[in-house]
Amino acid sequence: MNPTWTDSLRFLRKLDGDKFTLVFFEASDTDSALVGGGPEYFVVSITMDDNIYTLMNVSRETVKFL
């Protein structure tokens, strides 16, 4: 499948942390993005040029326990 930006946003908006929890986008054979979570908190892992970058938003309560 080759989704449009509209399709991609629709997939991301469906993430609910229960039934729909993960979206994987492949930009090329080596570059991709993985988005998981929802509806409030997400983890994003991006692979570019053999490097992996991970982003996540956490609640302030979670940070206090780390």
Side-chain angles (χ1 to χ4, degrees), residues 38-57:
E40 295 180 41
Y41 302 103
F42 299 89
V43 175
V44 179
S45 183
I46 299 169
T47 304
M48 294 185 326
D49 302 322
D50 293 327
N51 295 304
I52 299 173
Y53 305 94
T54 301
L55 310 166
M56 60 187 209
N57 62 338

Side-chain angles (χ1 to χ4, degrees), residues 14-31:
K14 284 183 87 168
L15 292 174
D16 61 8
D18 183 35
K19 184 176 179 184
F20 299 99
T21 59
L22 197 60
V23 176
F24 178 77
F25 298 101
E26 186 175 51
S28 68
D29 287 341
T30 58
D31 300 340

